[in-house]
């Protein structure tokens, strides 16, 4: 009788073990977009790992704002933001403001041709007049679908490395081939660089594939283009369906200290960038936008190294501080930058067996000029005296001028400026 009971218990235990293992690998259908059909099967084990990651980066808010574009903006206590989870920032004390702003050069006159989006309700979550309370920072909430659109949990929030470490050359295009294409202007100087500034008009370029993007940004760079130690600080606007789940242009930041291999991420999707502003949400959609032959709207971005504390600050307009990249995150940029780049970048996956139709900038070539093409104007760098100095000379680079191009010039009002961009696939670009 005891033998029968023991056998029954063993059978029950075996049955429960099989059920448990089965449940742990349960397959669940998940949709990458809320309004689309399920396209992927995801095990509950992977879902649990993703949820654990989301719990880490989605900090508990004191207040939540529902944006008309579908974003959820969480107002998180400044001292509990994701940045401070970084092991190098364990004892970091948040800097309220830089000790010194860069000294501005007197302007020759007002630019009449474009309006600065900072003057209006320039992020969509602002439209109902709601702001995050003082002492908090607005953070775009990340969802399960956001992560599932990425190639993997490791890749979520990261640029896929566009540098082939075996086939690089010592040229400052940041970034080689491997599906990434650029139209950029860059500095070539032996002087130490401590920051850069530019004004960029904002568009909504069309994206062909969900895992392609189009961005316009400033790169602050130091280290070797041929090794695994390139340091980069980046900011601008970007359209990325994979990252955000839509085709809206959004304010973004990025950083890496190892050539995009393991460190750094977009926005606040990993620990690192410390936000100080309670009115600007990094990763939130920008509005209004420039229109073809219509009104032009632009944003001014300034990145510079605080000479006292050594942190790299980001500002919008002439006086709005967003936050900073702590000096502890970097190796080469802990000192100074050696190269600055301004311009556009797209990913060309050739998913249809031809060049992508993903647009750069406005989707129009630079020859079309103001009101039609995208521009960067009033290019400046910060020198060792913490002064903003107009860039007199830039070199330009575009890997494939039949797809995306760049033309630079100079004027009294716009200083050094350039038009850039293009439609991608066309009769000359295939």
């Amino acid at each position: 009788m005891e033998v029968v009971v023991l056998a029954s218990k063993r059978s029950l235990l075996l049955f429960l073990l099989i059920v448990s293992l089965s449940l742990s690998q349960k397959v669940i259908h998940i949709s990458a977009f809320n309004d689309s059909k399920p396209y992927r099967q995801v095990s509950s084990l992977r879902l649990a790992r993703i949820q654990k990651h989301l719990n880490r980066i989605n900090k508990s808010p004191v207040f939540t704002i529902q944006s008309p574009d579908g974003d959820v903006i969480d107002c998180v206590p400044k001292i509990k933001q994701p940045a401070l989870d970084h092991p190098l920032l364990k004892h970091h004390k948040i800097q309220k403001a830089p000790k010194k702003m860069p000294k501005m050069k007197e302007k020759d006159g007002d630019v009449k041709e474009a309006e600065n989006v900072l003057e209006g309700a320039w992020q969509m979550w602002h439209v109902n007049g709601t702001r995050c309370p003082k002492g908090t920072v607005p953070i775009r909430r990340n969802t399960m679908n956001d992560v599932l659109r990425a190639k993997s949990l490791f890749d979520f929030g990261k640029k896929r490395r566009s540098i082939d470490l075996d086939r690089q050359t010592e040229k400052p295009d940041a970034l080689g081939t491997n599906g990434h294409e650029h139209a950029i202007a860059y500095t070539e100087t032996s002087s130490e660089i401590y920051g850069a500034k530019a004004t960029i008009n904002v568009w909504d370029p069309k994206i062909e594939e969900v895992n392609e993007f189009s961005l316009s940004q400033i790169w602050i760079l130091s280290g070797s283009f041929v090794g695994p130690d390139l340091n980069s600080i980046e900011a601008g606007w970007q359209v990325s369906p994979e990252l955000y789940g839509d085709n809206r242009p959004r304010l973004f930041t990025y950083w890496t200290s190892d050539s995009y291999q393991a460190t750094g991420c977009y926005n606040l999707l990993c620990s690192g960038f410390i936000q100080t502003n309670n009115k600007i949400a990094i990763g939130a959609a920008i509005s209004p936008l420039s229109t073809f032959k219509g009104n032009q709207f632009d944003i001014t971005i300034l990145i510079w190294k605080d000479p006292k504390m050594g942190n790299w600050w980001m500002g919008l307009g002439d006086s709005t501080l967003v936050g900073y990249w702590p000096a502890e995150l970097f190796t080469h940029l802990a000192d100074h930058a050696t190269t600055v780049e301004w311009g556009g970048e797209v990913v060309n996956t050739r998913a249809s067996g031809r060049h992508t139709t993903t647009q750069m900038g406005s989707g129009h070539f630079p020859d079309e000029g103001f009101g039609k093409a995208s521009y960067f104007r009033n290019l400046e760098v910060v020198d060792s005296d913490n002064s903003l100095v107009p860039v007199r000379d830039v070199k330009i680079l575009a890997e494939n001028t039949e797809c995306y191009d760049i033309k630079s010039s100079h004027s009294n009002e716009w200083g050094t400026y350039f038009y850039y961009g293009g439609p991608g696939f066309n009769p000359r670009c295939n």
Side-chain angles (χ1 to χ4, degrees):
M1 188 69 177
E2 286 182 6
V3 174
V4 175
V5 171
L6 282 171
S8 299
K9 284 183 178 178
R10 282 173 185 161
S11 299
L12 180 61
L13 285 171
L14 184 61
F15 173 75
L16 290 173
L17 180 62
I18 292 168
V19 169
S20 175
L21 287 170
S22 172
L23 286 173
S24 71
Q25 292 298 320
K26 183 181 177 184
V27 170
I28 300 174
H29 294 271
I30 295 291
S31 168
F33 294 90
N34 292 332
D35 57 350
S36 65
K37 293 178 182 177
Y39 83 116
R40 178 186 292 189
Q41 292 184 339
V42 184
S43 73
S44 55
L45 223 84
R46 185 172 182 226
L47 288 180
R49 283 197 297 270
I50 293 172
Q51 191 57 57
K52 187 177 179 182
H53 181 71
L54 289 172
N55 292 343
R56 258 197 319 268
I57 62 175
N58 286 331
K59 303 298 184 182
S60 298
V62 297
F63 187 64
T64 294
I65 299 166
Q66 183 70 53
S67 177
D69 61 0
D71 281 355
V72 175
I73 305 297
D74 288 328
C75 302
V76 174
K78 194 182 294 185
I79 59 171
K80 293 185 178 179
Q81 62 181 295
L84 300 175
D85 292 339
H86 198 290
L88 294 174
L89 304 179
K90 190 175 179 181
H91 303 294
H92 184 89
K93 185 179 178 182
I94 295 177
Q95 188 180 0
K96 290 183 180 178
K99 298 293 182 184
K100 283 187 176 181
M101 294 285 289
K103 295 186 277 289
M104 308 277 182
K105 182 180 179 291
E106 290 296 320
K107 292 182 180 178
D108 297 325
D110 294 329
V111 177
K112 303 293 185 185
E113 292 172 299
E115 297 178 55
N116 194 302
V117 297
L118 283 174
E119 293 171 1
W122 76 279
Q123 286 196 316
M124 296 184 75
W125 65 280
H126 287 170
V127 294
N128 60 6
T130 310
R131 299 288 189 274
C132 281
K134 285 185 178 179
T136 70
V137 291
I139 299 179
R140 180 182 180 269
R141 186 183 297 176
N142 303 287
T143 68
M144 183 72 70
N145 284 337
D146 289 337
V147 182
L148 288 171
R149 285 191 300 272
K151 186 179 178 183
S152 69
L153 184 56
F154 175 81
D155 291 307
F156 175 58
K158 291 183 171 66
K159 278 189 177 183
R160 294 202 183 102
R161 191 174 71 208
S162 53
I163 301 178
D164 185 334
L165 292 176
D166 297 322
R167 292 174 34 227
Q168 294 178 82
T169 57
E170 270 283 9
K171 68 175 183 179
D173 61 12
L175 310 127
T177 52
N178 201 22
H180 291 240
E181 297 186 20
H182 307 81
I184 60 168
Y186 62 94
T187 58
E188 195 168 65
T189 174
S190 57
S191 303
E192 296 175 351
I193 300 169
Y194 293 88
K197 185 180 182 182
T199 298
I200 318 164
N201 63 341
V202 184
W203 296 82
D204 58 343
K206 302 297 180 286
I207 313 296
E208 182 175 352
E209 298 291 331
V210 70
N211 60 343
E212 296 179 340
F213 66 64
S214 180
L215 58 75
S216 298
Q217 69 172 53
I218 300 174
W219 288 262
I220 308 283
L221 299 156
S222 191
S224 172
F225 286 94
V226 228
D229 64 341
L230 183 71
N231 287 201
S232 182
I233 286 173
E234 306 166 25
W237 61 262
Q238 172 189 46
V239 178
S240 174
E242 182 182 274
L243 192 58
Y244 306 107
D246 60 28
N247 291 285
R248 295 184 177 92
R250 294 167 178 272
L251 178 72
F252 83 94
T253 62
Y254 199 91
W255 69 274
T256 181
S257 61
D258 63 355
S259 297
Y260 306 92
Q261 294 177 92
T263 63
C265 62
Y266 282 110
N267 309 330
L268 307 180
L269 297 180
C270 66
S271 52
F273 184 87
I274 294 178
Q275 185 160 340
T276 59
N277 192 295
N278 70 328
K279 298 182 179 70
I280 294 167
I282 299 170
I286 300 172
S287 179
L289 306 177
S290 301
T291 54
F292 188 73
K293 295 184 181 179
N295 291 331
Q296 302 299 297
F297 293 93
D298 54 33
I299 55 174
T300 297
I301 292 178
L302 168 63
I303 302 169
W304 85 101
K305 192 173 195 283
D306 179 0
K308 293 290 184 185
M309 303 297 289
N311 301 318
W312 288 87
W313 278 85
M314 175 185 171
L316 287 172
D318 286 333
S319 58
T320 303
L321 298 171
V322 179
Y324 63 91
W325 295 267
E328 296 97 314
L329 298 175
F330 303 104
T331 51
H332 298 289
L333 281 175
D335 189 7
H336 63 273
T338 54
T339 305
V340 174
E341 299 174 0
W342 299 264
E345 177 183 358
V346 300
V347 171
N348 171 29
T349 63
R350 299 190 69 88
S352 302
R354 50 149 175 80
H355 195 286
T356 183
T357 58
T358 288
Q359 300 172 334
M360 180 188 292
S362 66
H364 292 263
F365 284 113
D367 291 338
E368 297 189 53
F370 185 82
K372 299 175 183 177
S374 296
Y375 62 75
F376 277 63
R377 60 177 173 89
N378 300 105
L379 305 188
E380 296 175 281
V381 294
V382 179
D383 65 11
S384 58
D385 191 37
N386 198 38
S387 296
L388 274 162
V389 180
V391 177
R392 296 295 180 194
D393 228 358
V394 291
K395 302 220 167 182
I396 57 174
L397 180 145
E399 288 97 346
N400 192 340
T401 56
E402 305 291 359
C403 307
Y404 314 106
D405 205 0
I406 179 170
K407 305 286 182 188
S408 65
S409 191
H410 187 277
S411 73
N412 289 335
E413 266 195 345
W414 278 23
T416 297
Y417 68 92
F418 60 85
Y419 290 105
Y420 71 102
F425 176 75
N426 66 76
R428 293 178 301 168
C429 165
N430 50 39

